[in-house]
C-alpha cells in the first residue's frame, strides 16, 4: 500500500516539475526581455547525511553551500524545550572552498565563523553519538545495526541570518532501511526538501528495519512505523494502529480539517517520551507494555499528537523562529500543555479509547487532588509555573508546580463557564477552533488573546479571572464552577501511605547542580515539608548529610531514601549567613483527598448541563 503510494507521489512530482520548468523558462525570458537586474543572495544548500554501519559511533554530515560570501557564520539550532546541545559532539569539522581549505573559528558554543573562497563551501563534520542507557528519550539520536534516529537540531548546521533558505537533504543509508520523516519527498526517494531552517530541524528522520502501516483520514495519508529492539515482544498491531486512527479522526472532527499534507508517527521500542513536530512525532513505546495494555501509550500519543495543533501551530508568543541562542522561556505553557492534556483525555473518551480514569468526574478528582497536594499548583500563578518549566532548577524556591496540571484544570473550568453561559451550545471546542483560525501562522498568542477569544465564545468577561488565576496566584474556588453542573467538591487531608497502609516518610527534598557551578544545592518541593520547616530552603549550598560529604545529586538521594519515620538526620548547608548544621526528624506527611458529588438539590438546567459535560459529544 505504502509503496504504491510512494510511486504515485513520484509520478506526480515529476509531472509537476516538468510543468513548473516550462513556466520558469517563460518567466526567465520575460525577465531578460524587460532587463530586470536580479541578484539572488540566498545561499543554496545541499546536505548529505551518511551512515556507515561498520562504525555505529557517529554519522557524517556534508553541507554543500553555493552562492555564499567568502566569510559567513554557521550555527546549530537551540530547541526551546529539549535543548540537547549537540554542538558539543561535533567532530572532524572542516571546510573547503574553491581554492582549497578554508578556516573555522568558533565564536560561541553553537556558532562558528567560516572563511572560504569562490563563493562556495563544502563543510564536513561528524556527529558523535552519546552512549545512552538502554532506555532513552524517544527524541534523542541513536544508531544501531537495525536503525537510526537523526536529523533535527541534533544534526544540522545552518547559515546564520538565512533561516528562510530552502535546502535539500540526501540520505546515504543501508539499502534495506525504510525511511520516515516529515521532510517533503522529492523525485529521488533518498532526497528530501525543507523550505526553511525551521522545517528542516522540525522533522527528525527515523530509518531502519521497521514495521509500517498507513491509513487515510479525510484523504490525508498517515504513516505509522514501529522500530523494534532485539527482544521486542509481539503485540496486537491491528488494535495499535486502529487506536491511533480513532484518535486522529476525533482531532480532525474537532478542528474540521487536518492541518498537514501527510503525517508520520515515528514509534520506537526501548524508548520513552515523545516530541511533537509539524507533521510528525517521535514516540517511545515498549512492546512489553503494548502487549499487556495500551492505555498509557495511547495517553502519551494523544498528548503529543494534539500538540500538532496546540503548541506547534497555536503557540505562545515567545516561541518564534529558530535561533542558536538559548530560547526565551514562555508564560503560555499552561495553555499549550494544559489544554493538550485536556484534549488528550477528552478526545480519547469521544473515540472510546482506553483512559486512566473511569469517568470525567474521577479524572477531575485526581487533578484537584494534585492541585492541593503540591502547594506550588495553587500558590504560584500558572504564568510563573510555565516560565519555570524549562527555567533553571529551583526557580520557584520551595515550591514546585505543574503547568500541565494547572492548565488542564483551567481548561475544565473554562469549559464549564462557557457551557453554562451558552446553554451548552458552545464549549472549549469553539475556543480551540477560533485560536486555530487566528494563530496557526507565525503569530503567537498572549494570555490576553486567550481571554479575548473566551469572551467572544461565551459572552462573559474573563479579564478578572485571568488577573486572579492566570497572571495572578489566587486559589481556584472549585465549588463555584462545579455548582454550574449541580456538583460539589469535598476536600480533606490524609496521611500519605504505601500499599500496606503504612505512612510514607516525607522525602520532598532533592539535590541539584546549576549549570556552570560545581557545588551541590539543596531543594524542597513544598514549604510545608519537614525539610523546609526545619530551616532548609531551595538554593542552600549542600555540604554533607550526617557528616558525609556529598558530591552528586544521586549520592544525596541515596542517603535520604534509606531513612525511616522517626530517624534523625543532620544536613549541613551554607547559607548567606554562613555554614549551618540543621537536624531534621523524619516524619510522614499529608496529601489532599478530593471527593466530587452531586449537590442535594439541583435544578433541571444544572442536570442538563451536567449530562452534556459528562458525555461531551
Ligand atoms: Zn506536552
Amino acid at each position: 500500500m505504502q509503496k504504491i503510494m510512494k510511486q504515485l507521489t513520484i509520478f506526480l512530482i515529476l509531472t509537476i516539475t516538468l510543468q513548473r520548468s516550462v513556466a520558469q523558462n517563460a518567466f526567465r525570458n520575460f525577465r531578460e526581455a524587460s532587463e530586470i537586474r536580479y541578484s539572488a543572495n540566498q545561499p543554496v544548500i545541499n546536505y548529505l547525511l551518511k551512515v556507515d554501519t561498520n562504525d555505529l559511533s557517529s554519522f557524517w554530515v556534508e553541507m554543500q553551500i553555493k552562492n555564499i560570501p567568502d566569510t559567513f557564520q554557521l550555527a546549530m539550532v537551540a530547541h526551546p524545550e529539549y535543548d540537547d546541545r549537540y554542538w558539543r559532539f561535533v567532530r572532524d569539522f572542516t571546510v573547503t572552498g574553491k581554492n582549497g581549505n578554508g578556516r573555522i573559528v568558533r565564536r560561541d558554543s553553537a556558532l562558528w565563523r567560516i572563511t572560504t573562497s569562490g563563493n562556495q563551501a563544502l563543510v564536513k563534520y561528524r556527529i558523535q553519538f552519546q552512549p545512552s542507557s538502554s532506555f532513552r528519550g524517544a527524541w534523542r539520536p541513536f544508531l544501531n545495526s537495525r536503525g537510526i534516529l537523526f536529523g533535527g537540531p541534533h544534526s544540522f548546521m545552518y547559515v546564520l541570518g538565512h533561516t528562510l533558505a530552502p535546502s535539500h537533504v540526501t540520505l546515504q543509508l543501508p539499502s534495506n532501511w525504510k525511511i520516515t520523516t516529515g521532510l517533503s519527498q522529492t523525485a529521488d526517494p533518498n532526497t528530501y526538501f525543507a523550505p526553511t531552517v525551521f522545517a528542516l530541524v522540525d522533522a527528525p528522520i527515523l530509518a531502519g528495519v521497521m514495521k509500517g502501516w498507513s491509513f487515510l483520514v479525510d484523504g490525508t495519508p498517515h504513516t505509522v512505523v514501529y522500530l523494534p529492539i532485539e527482544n521486542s515482544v509481539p503485540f496486537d498491531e491491528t488494535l495499535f494502529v486502529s487506536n491511533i486512527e480513532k484518535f486522529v479522526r476525533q482531532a480532525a472532527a474537532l478542528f474540521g480539517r487536518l492541518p498537514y499534507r501527510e503525517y508520520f508517527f515515528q514509534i520506537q521500542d526501548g524508548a520513552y517520551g515523545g516530541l511533537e513536530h509539524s507533521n510528525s512525532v517521535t514516540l517511545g513505546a515498549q512492546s512489553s507494555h503494548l502487549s499487556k495494555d495500551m492505555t498509557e501509550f495511547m495517553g502519551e500519543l494523544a498528548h503529543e499528537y494534539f500538540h500538532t495543533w496546540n503548541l506547534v501551530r497555536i503557540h505562545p508568543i515567545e516561541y518564534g523562529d529558530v535561533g542558536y541562542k538559548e530560547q526565551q522561556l514562555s508564560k503560555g505553557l499552561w495553555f499549550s500543555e494544559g489544554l493538550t492534556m485536556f484534549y488528550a483525555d477528552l478526545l480519547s473518551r469521544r473515540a472510546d479509547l482506553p483512559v486512566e480514569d473511569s469517568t470525567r468526574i474521577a479524572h477531575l478528582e485526581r487533578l484537584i487532588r494534585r492541585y492541593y497536594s503540591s502547594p506550588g499548583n495553587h500558590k504560584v500563578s500558572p504564568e510563573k509555573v510555565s516560565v519555570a518549566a524549562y527555567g533553571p532548577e529551583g526557580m520557584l524556591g520551595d515550591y514546585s508546580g505543574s503547568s500541565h496540571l494547572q492548565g488542564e484544570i483551567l481548561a475544565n473550568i473554562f469549559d464549564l463557564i462557557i457551557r453554562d453561559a451558552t446553554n451548552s451550545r458552545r464549549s472549549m471546542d469553539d475556543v480551540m477552533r477560533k485560536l486555530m483560525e487566528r494563530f496557526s501562522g507565525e503569530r503567537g498568542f498572549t494570555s490576553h488573546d486567550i481571554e479575548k477569544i473566551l469572551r467572544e465564545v461565551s459572552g462573559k468577561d474573563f479579564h478578572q479571572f485571568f488577573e486572579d488565576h492566570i497572571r495572578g496566584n489566587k486559589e481556584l474556588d472549585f465549588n463555584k464552577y462545579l455548582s454550574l453542573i449541580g456538583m460539589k467538591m469535598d476536600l480533606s487531608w490524609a496521611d500519605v501511605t504505601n500499599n500496606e497502609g503504612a505512612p510514607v516518610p516525607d522525602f520532598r527534598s532533592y539535590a541539584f547542580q546549576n549549570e556552570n557551578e560545581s557545588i551541590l544545592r539543596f531543594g524542597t518541593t513544598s514549604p510545608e515539608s519537614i525539610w523546609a520547616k526545619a530551616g532548609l530552603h531551595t538554593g542552600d549550598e549542600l555540604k554533607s548529610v550526617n557528616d558525609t560529604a556529598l558530591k552528586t545529586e544521586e549520592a544525596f538521594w541515596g542517603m535520604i531514601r534509606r531513612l525511616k519515620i522517626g530517624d534523625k538526620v543532620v544536613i549541613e548547608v551554607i547559607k548567606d549567613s554562613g555554614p549551618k548544621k540543621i537536624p531534621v526528624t523524619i516524619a510522614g506527611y499529608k496529601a489532599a483527598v478530593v471527593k466530587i458529588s452531586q449537590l442535594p438539590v439541583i435544578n433541571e438546567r444544572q442536570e442538563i448541563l451536567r449530562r452534556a459535560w459528562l458525555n461531551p459529544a
Side-chain angles (χ1 to χ4, degrees):
M1 178 69 188
Q2 228 212 322
K3 206 159 192 183
I4 294 167
M5 254 173 45
K6 202 160 192 173
Q7 279 166 352
L8 189 69
T9 316
I10 290 169
F11 171 71
L12 283 173
I13 289 172
L14 280 173
T15 320
I16 293 165
T17 314
L18 284 172
Q19 286 169 348
R20 201 181 287 156
S21 64
V22 172
Q24 275 168 350
N25 281 339
F27 184 54
R28 201 172 298 137
N29 291 341
F30 165 76
R31 274 232 297 252
E32 278 163 11
S34 58
E35 288 179 296
I36 293 170
R37 281 183 66 89
Y38 168 74
S39 83
N41 57 8
Q42 208 176 41
V44 177
I45 304 160
N46 285 290
Y47 295 94
L48 175 64
L49 269 53
K50 287 199 285 191
V51 170
D52 175 0
T53 42
N54 293 316
D55 172 19
L56 298 175
S57 69
S58 65
F59 65 92
W60 277 97
V61 182
E62 287 185 22
M63 205 178 163
Q64 186 109 49
I65 316 171
K66 287 182 200 152
N67 201 23
I68 189 86
D70 286 344
T71 302
F72 63 100
Q73 301 193 83
L74 285 176
M76 279 178 95
V77 169
H79 192 277
E81 297 174 8
Y82 292 72
D83 190 13
D84 289 326
R85 304 184 297 149
Y86 263 52
W87 44 262
R88 293 176 296 167
F89 313 127
V90 172
R91 306 279 183 270
D92 303 328
F93 190 2
T94 60
V95 59
T96 317
K98 198 173 183 185
N99 310 324
N101 288 347
R103 252 162 53 88
I104 301 168
V105 179
R106 192 169 208 154
R107 310 255 356 247
D108 200 344
S109 39
L111 185 70
W112 298 265
R113 189 179 61 223
I114 310 291
T115 314
T116 184
S117 50
N119 299 109
Q120 54 178 265
L122 176 63
V123 172
K124 288 187 187 182
Y125 56 92
R126 260 185 330 118
I127 297 285
Q128 184 85 40
F129 284 104
Q130 293 315 293
S132 64
S133 59
S134 54
F135 204 42
R136 64 182 171 80
W139 64 93
R140 291 225 169 92
F142 75 93
L143 171 63
N144 61 35
S145 58
R146 307 159 165 272
I148 189 168
L149 177 72
F150 63 162
H154 304 93
S155 301
F156 297 110
M157 292 187 182
Y158 69 97
V159 179
L160 194 73
H162 288 281
T163 56
L164 295 180
S167 60
H168 280 92
V169 179
T170 300
L171 304 177
Q172 208 172 300
L173 296 169
S175 58
N176 62 332
W177 286 11
K178 186 179 188 157
I179 302 165
T180 46
T181 172
L183 293 168
S184 306
Q185 291 177 2
T186 68
D188 171 359
N190 293 315
T191 299
Y192 294 82
F193 173 74
T196 62
V197 175
F198 188 97
L200 176 73
V201 298
D202 189 42
I205 301 155
L206 181 69
V209 183
M210 299 187 284
K211 297 186 175 206
W213 306 268
S214 61
F215 55 85
L216 293 174
V217 171
D218 294 345
T220 304
H222 293 74
T223 300
V224 180
V225 293
Y226 190 76
L227 181 69
I229 50 172
E230 205 181 315
N231 40 14
S232 280
V233 296
F235 57 88
D236 186 342
E237 295 171 5
T238 311
L239 178 67
F240 179 67
V241 179
S242 88
N243 279 347
I244 298 172
E245 182 179 345
K246 278 184 186 171
F247 192 86
V248 171
R249 288 193 182 280
Q250 285 301 326
L254 167 63
F255 288 102
R257 67 180 182 90
L258 292 162
Y260 42 74
R261 191 179 63 87
E262 189 170 3
Y263 195 91
F264 301 90
F265 293 92
Q266 302 169 312
I267 310 173
Q268 309 148 45
D269 199 352
Y272 67 90
L275 189 55
E276 68 282 349
H277 303 286
S278 293
N279 64 338
S280 64
V281 61
T282 48
L283 273 169
Q286 296 190 77
S287 56
S288 55
H289 292 179
L290 294 176
S291 65
K292 293 186 201 108
D293 182 7
M294 295 191 189
T295 311
E296 195 189 332
F297 167 71
M298 277 311 296
E300 178 92 38
L301 178 131
H303 178 91
E304 303 301 344
Y305 176 69
F306 196 78
H307 273 321
T308 308
W309 286 266
N310 193 34
L311 187 54
V312 174
R313 286 174 177 78
I314 307 165
H315 62 85
I317 193 152
E318 296 90 351
Y319 287 3
D321 196 7
V322 290
Y324 71 93
K325 289 183 184 149
E326 231 170 77
Q327 300 286 289
Q328 219 185 324
L329 299 171
S330 167
K331 284 195 279 191
L333 282 186
W334 65 271
F335 192 91
S336 301
E337 293 296 354
L339 271 288
T340 302
M341 296 296 291
F342 176 80
Y343 275 104
D345 182 74
L346 187 57
L347 298 186
S348 297
R349 287 176 199 278
R350 285 180 186 164
D352 239 338
L353 288 166
V355 282
E356 301 279 355
D357 298 305
S358 57
T359 62
R360 288 194 85 187
I361 293 289
H363 187 59
L364 193 54
E365 278 178 347
R366 186 150 69 99
L367 298 178
I368 300 175
R369 191 171 73 227
R370 288 175 53 208
Y371 178 79
Y372 283 112
S373 293
S374 188
N377 292 328
H378 59 272
K379 294 242 160 72
V380 185
S381 77
E383 289 203 339
K384 264 197 183 160
V385 174
S386 296
V387 167
Y390 297 99
E393 194 127 28
M395 201 174 173
L396 298 177
D398 289 350
Y399 287 107
S400 152
S402 161
S403 52
H404 288 65
L405 173 82
Q406 290 176 316
E408 189 176 4
I409 285 179
L410 288 163
N412 275 285
I413 292 177
F414 294 154
D415 198 39
L416 290 173
I417 297 174
I418 299 166
R419 284 171 183 278
D420 176 65
T422 63
N423 287 322
S424 257
R425 276 197 318 276
R426 291 180 153 197
S427 71
M428 203 56 211
D429 292 2
D430 299 279
V431 175
M432 295 311 294
R433 285 190 279 262
K434 267 199 195 293
L435 272 164
M436 188 61 190
E437 276 167 33
R438 282 183 216 168
F439 292 92
S440 60
E442 296 285 288
R443 210 185 129 211
F445 66 79
T446 67
S447 65
H448 296 277
D449 295 312
I450 308 276
E451 193 186 308
K452 195 168 152 234
I453 291 180
L454 280 166
R455 189 180 61 214
E456 285 174 26
V457 168
S458 69
K460 290 244 170 194
D461 190 348
F462 276 81
H463 184 71
Q464 198 54 47
F465 186 98
F466 272 62
E467 286 295 308
D468 289 346
H469 305 297
I470 283 146
R471 296 182 282 270
N473 65 344
K474 207 169 159 189
E475 193 177 310
L476 290 160
D477 176 2
F478 289 102
N479 281 326
K480 179 175 169 187
Y481 306 106
L482 283 170
S483 73
L484 302 175
I485 53 168
M487 309 291 283
K488 71 176 171 78
M489 176 207 77
D490 291 298
L491 173 68
S492 57
W493 294 84
D495 286 337
V496 178
T497 55
N498 62 17
N499 290 341
E500 284 87 52
V504 169
D506 183 352
F507 287 149
R508 291 177 291 177
S509 61
Y510 61 98
F512 67 96
Q513 239 172 339
N514 282 331
E515 241 175 78
N516 314 321
E517 262 187 12
S518 54
I519 56 167
L520 212 54
R521 292 186 182 274
F522 173 87
T524 179
T525 57
S526 169
E528 288 150 31
S529 70
I530 52 170
W531 312 91
K533 283 182 178 163
L536 291 157
H537 297 291
T538 301
D540 290 347
E541 185 180 340
L542 190 53
K543 295 308 277 185
S544 69
V545 174
N546 288 342
D547 289 323
T548 304
L550 292 172
K551 288 273 176 293
T552 65
E553 299 165 13
E554 294 75 29
F556 175 77
W557 180 232
M559 295 198 69
I560 295 302
R561 71 196 295 183
R562 284 200 291 265
L563 297 168
K564 297 187 182 63
I565 290 179
D567 283 355
K568 286 189 170 54
V569 63
V570 177
I571 311 281
E572 187 187 4
V573 290
I574 299 179
K575 291 178 173 283
D576 291 343
S577 53
K580 222 173 173 180
K581 287 191 173 182
I582 298 179
V584 183
T585 305
I586 304 301
Y589 66 112
K590 289 189 188 304
V593 178
V594 171
K595 189 82 204 123
I596 296 177
S597 57
Q598 207 165 312
L599 287 167
V601 183
I602 66 168
N603 59 34
E604 201 190 326
R605 177 188 163 74
Q606 286 167 313
E607 177 61 32
I608 292 167
L609 287 175
R610 188 177 71 93
R611 269 198 234 127
W613 185 81
L614 276 174
N615 305 298

